[in-house]
Amino acid sequence: MSTAHEHYSSSEGTGHLYDGGEKLLSFAEQLAKDCEQYERRQKLLVLLYASSSVLATLAVSGMLFLLLNYGLAETRTACIFLLTFTLIMVMVSLNLRLHFPFAVKQLRRDRRALLEIADLLREVEKALAERNNLSVLERAAFRIRLARLDIGSGDSPR
Amino acid sequence: MVVEWVGPLLTGFKHRTDIKELLAGGLSLVFGKKTEIAFTGMQGVGKSVLLDQLTGKASRPAYQPPLQSQRLESGSVKSGGRRMRVGVIPGQLAEPRHVALDQLFRARKPVDGVVHLVSYGHATSRNPDAVDALVRDLKINTVAKYQKLQLERELEDLAQTCQAIREAHRKARSPKWLVVAVDKIDLFHDVIAKARRYYSPDADSPFAEQLRALTAQVGTDNFRWEAAPVCGCLAPFEWNGKALVPQLREEERQAYLAQLLRLLESYCR
């Protein structure tokens, strides 16, 4: 039985179809990897955002505590330090807040593409394998790689 | 004070499965035994739609047919004093399917029965790009070719279900029965005799052959199967411009559904 790669070299008509499927699968795998990275990045952004907000709040509270209890004259240096720290934390929070929608958008975009490709490949996998006379092992490899991808095509109303 | 509660809570958590079983056993005594059923079948055969029909969800106003299942779905069916807990295994070759198969077939107590859905090659292709690729690139341009392809995919899917049943039997001698629910009969009611010849236990088809092999492996005393026609919903089918219209009336569809329900009740005794 000829394999897909042999077929590709001998018959462009069907071989390029398998090649297309293979390319799509590799692309989907890359997208899956990217999605994982975006997810991790998104979680990190949320964590940093929450931490910087809490730190800014604590710094403001500390500054108020010092001012109310000891007055500006005695705590001038500490207050300047806390104020600077608060400003830095606020800047960091705002920066993260601005970046967050982009990260979400990127993740959503890539995930949608990934699910579309996975859906498409699952539907055509059998026909593709038959038309290209894939060996049992080649088909199994393709199916196993396909099974690693996510499921679904958008938000289910259920 | 808090420390006193930690011990019993930890013990309870450690034996949570036993507690759950004890509760389930108590409830079974009061309300009758609940039969666990798995709905299997390839993508697009109408498993979720049939579940909605059996649970009564489909008769609610403004009901929308479900999209692709993304995880194990479940529902309760009550009929003729029988309680059935149905779990629908996603048809797509992906991780959620394997997780669902593990949950229903490889757990300590596997399901009692299986309803394996097929559609005589009329499974719905939901992805328009896949439809285009099949028609244009892969030359699956007639309904007959599409049906042939889907029948082959059905066989592959059945092989996976048979494998899961075999594993469950090795572990817990369950599930005891399988009903092949031949769905979407509204689309091929004119050739239903042919479909019956393909799916029935005494048929000379690769499908029946696989199930006969399974029965031989797990033992005829431990496992039985039969096929029953059903129609989840009346919907047209279109492939490359050729349309198949439903050949059943709504009351006939309801009758087929009731017939399947009665069959499931008989297995739940």
Side-chain angles (χ1 to χ4, degrees):
Chain A
M1 188 186 278
S2 65
T3 65
H5 296 294
E6 286 163 5
H7 222 268
Y8 181 51
S9 54
S10 62
S11 151
E12 204 183 306
T14 54
H16 83 279
L17 288 176
Y18 174 73
D19 207 35
E22 175 69 33
K23 268 183 195 162
L24 267 179
L25 186 56
S26 302
F27 181 46
E29 284 170 338
Q30 186 55 50
L31 282 174
K33 217 179 271 178
D34 289 350
C35 283
E36 265 173 38
Q37 271 178 359
Y38 289 140
E39 261 175 41
R40 246 179 258 151
R41 205 174 129 195
Q42 207 173 310
K43 279 177 191 160
L44 189 70
L45 282 178
V46 170
L47 190 72
L48 286 174
Y49 177 69
S51 309
S52 54
S53 303
V54 168
L55 286 174
T57 314
L58 285 175
V60 169
S61 311
M63 200 165 63
L64 284 174
F65 176 80
L66 289 176
L67 283 173
L68 291 173
N69 287 289
Y70 304 102
L72 181 62
E74 284 182 40
T75 58
R76 191 187 202 108
T77 320
C79 281
I80 290 172
F81 171 76
L82 284 174
L83 187 67
T84 316
F85 183 75
T86 307
L87 284 174
I88 291 170
M89 285 299 113
V90 168
M91 295 286 278
V92 169
S93 299
L94 285 175
N95 199 18
L96 291 172
R97 185 76 190 84
L98 285 173
H99 269 85
F100 192 71
F102 292 112
V104 173
K105 204 170 149 187
Q106 257 173 334
L107 176 65
R108 203 180 296 153
R109 198 174 48 199
D110 280 9
R111 172 145 293 155
R112 200 179 299 130
L114 167 65
L115 296 179
E116 280 287 321
I117 296 171
D119 261 1
L120 185 147
L121 288 176
R122 279 189 194 109
E123 297 259 3
V124 303
E125 177 268 329
K126 166 91 180 152
L128 201 63
E130 273 183 9
R131 198 162 168 81
N132 291 282
N133 292 324
L134 290 199
S135 70
V136 175
L137 284 179
E138 278 172 324
R139 189 169 172 224
F142 195 90
R143 280 169 68 87
I144 292 164
R145 283 170 69 194
L146 196 53
R148 290 178 65 236
L149 301 177
D150 268 354
I151 214 171
S153 57
D155 296 323
S156 165
R158 296 173 67 84
Chain B
M1 183 69 184
V2 178
V3 179
E4 286 167 8
W5 282 95
V6 173
L9 281 173
L10 281 175
T11 314
F13 183 73
K14 199 175 161 189
H15 297 285
R16 62 191 184 281
T17 323
D18 299 323
I19 293 169
K20 207 174 147 189
E21 277 178 14
L22 197 71
L23 280 173
L27 287 174
S28 305
L29 280 175
V30 180
F31 298 109
K33 191 177 169 278
K34 196 196 270 182
T35 309
E36 300 278 344
I37 301 173
F39 273 22
T40 58
M42 56 180 269
Q43 64 190 101
V45 288
K47 297 180 291 296
S48 303
V49 172
L50 188 64
L51 174 71
D52 287 350
Q53 290 289 346
L54 293 176
T55 54
K57 200 173 168 183
S59 52
R60 286 181 202 161
Y63 167 74
Q64 289 284 321
L67 295 178
Q68 194 176 60
S69 309
Q70 295 172 13
R71 62 187 71 86
L72 175 71
E73 290 170 353
S74 54
S76 292
V77 181
K78 280 177 199 153
S79 175
R82 309 274 162 218
R83 295 194 308 141
M84 298 172 232
R85 182 84 190 149
V86 181
V88 179
I89 293 172
Q92 295 82 1
L93 183 70
E95 188 58 15
R97 177 184 168 87
H98 298 301
V99 171
L101 280 170
D102 284 348
Q103 276 178 22
L104 296 185
F105 288 94
R106 289 159 196 141
R108 203 160 70 164
K109 191 185 172 302
V111 288
D112 302 300
V114 178
V115 176
H116 185 77
L117 270 91
V118 289
S119 59
Y120 200 45
H122 294 80
T124 312
S125 279
R126 293 187 179 105
N127 189 309
D129 293 329
V131 173
D132 270 357
L134 284 170
V135 171
R136 290 184 194 168
D137 296 342
L138 297 159
K139 309 291 176 213
I140 312 289
N141 44 19
T142 63
V143 175
K145 282 183 188 173
Y146 180 75
Q147 197 185 352
K148 186 175 171 285
L149 173 74
Q150 298 301 333
L151 283 174
E152 284 168 8
R153 288 181 73 198
E154 269 183 13
L155 286 176
E156 288 177 358
D157 181 70
L158 178 68
Q160 286 184 12
T161 302
C162 288
Q163 176 66 26
I165 292 173
R166 257 199 302 272
E167 284 175 26
H169 256 271
R170 234 176 273 148
K171 216 174 191 177
R173 291 219 167 266
S174 197
K176 300 269 183 218
W177 52 267
L178 180 141
V179 170
V180 178
V182 186
D183 199 4
K184 306 196 180 190
I185 55 159
D186 56 322
L187 298 172
F188 52 90
H189 202 253
D190 51 341
V191 289
I192 197 160
K194 261 174 89 175
R196 190 178 293 133
R197 279 201 296 276
Y198 184 77
Y199 290 115
S200 70
D202 51 353
D204 182 24
S205 68
F207 190 92
E209 193 54 53
Q210 265 196 46
L211 282 170
R212 276 199 292 269
L214 171 72
T215 314
Q217 278 162 340
V218 298
T220 45
D221 286 346
N222 304 317
F223 187 77
R224 58 198 167 125
W225 72 278
E226 67 178 290
V230 72
C231 180
C233 68
L234 299 175
F237 174 88
E238 199 192 319
W239 188 255
N240 196 23
K242 172 99 168 86
L244 300 179
V245 289
Q247 301 162 16
L248 288 182
R249 291 192 308 272
E250 179 57 27
E251 48 277 28
E252 289 173 310
R253 188 189 74 80
Q254 296 278 1
Y256 275 115
L257 204 63
Q259 195 181 310
L260 178 76
L261 208 50
R262 276 200 299 276
L263 181 67
L264 293 182
E265 277 171 34
S266 72
Y267 275 106
C268 294
R269 275 184 196 134

